[in-house]
Amino acid sequence: MKQSYPIILAFAAQYPEQLPNLYIYKIDSNADPVMPLPGNASDMSWSPMQNQIVYSTVAQPNGNEIRVIDAPDELLQ
């Protein structure tokens, strides 16, 4: 039997007068997108195992940074 996996979308959005934020959304759900981290996220990519996201931050106090977060468990099930 073929195992099915959830379809998850990660995207960055920026509202006027706010910093860009990273959002994660499970396509087949009725839930609102999850914002798993503070603002200033951009340029994200999924890990090869699709359980982590690497992203960059813009203009943090120490300059730009590259960070990795785990995808929220409730989205991976």
Side-chain angles (χ1 to χ4, degrees):
M1 180 190 320
K2 189 174 183 179
Q3 183 176 4
S4 65
Y5 296 95
I7 299 171
I8 303 170
L9 173 69
F11 62 95
Q14 182 174 8
Y15 294 99
E17 309 296 326
Q18 293 184 8
L19 297 171
N21 289 300
L22 174 64
Y23 294 87
I24 302 173
Y25 179 68
K26 189 173 182 178
I27 299 293
D28 60 351
S29 76
N30 292 327
D32 291 334
V34 175
M35 185 175 67
L37 46 107
N40 265 359
S42 65
D43 300 320
M44 79 283 303
S45 182
W46 286 98
S47 69
M49 296 295 293
Q50 299 181 352
N51 61 346
Q52 294 180 311
I53 299 172
V54 63
Y55 66 97
S56 63
T57 60
V58 182
Q60 293 292 317
N62 298 328
N64 299 346
E65 296 178 347
I66 295 175
R67 298 181 181 172
V68 176
I69 61 164
D70 293 332
D73 287 338
E74 65 271 11
L75 295 177
L76 298 176
Q77 301 179 27

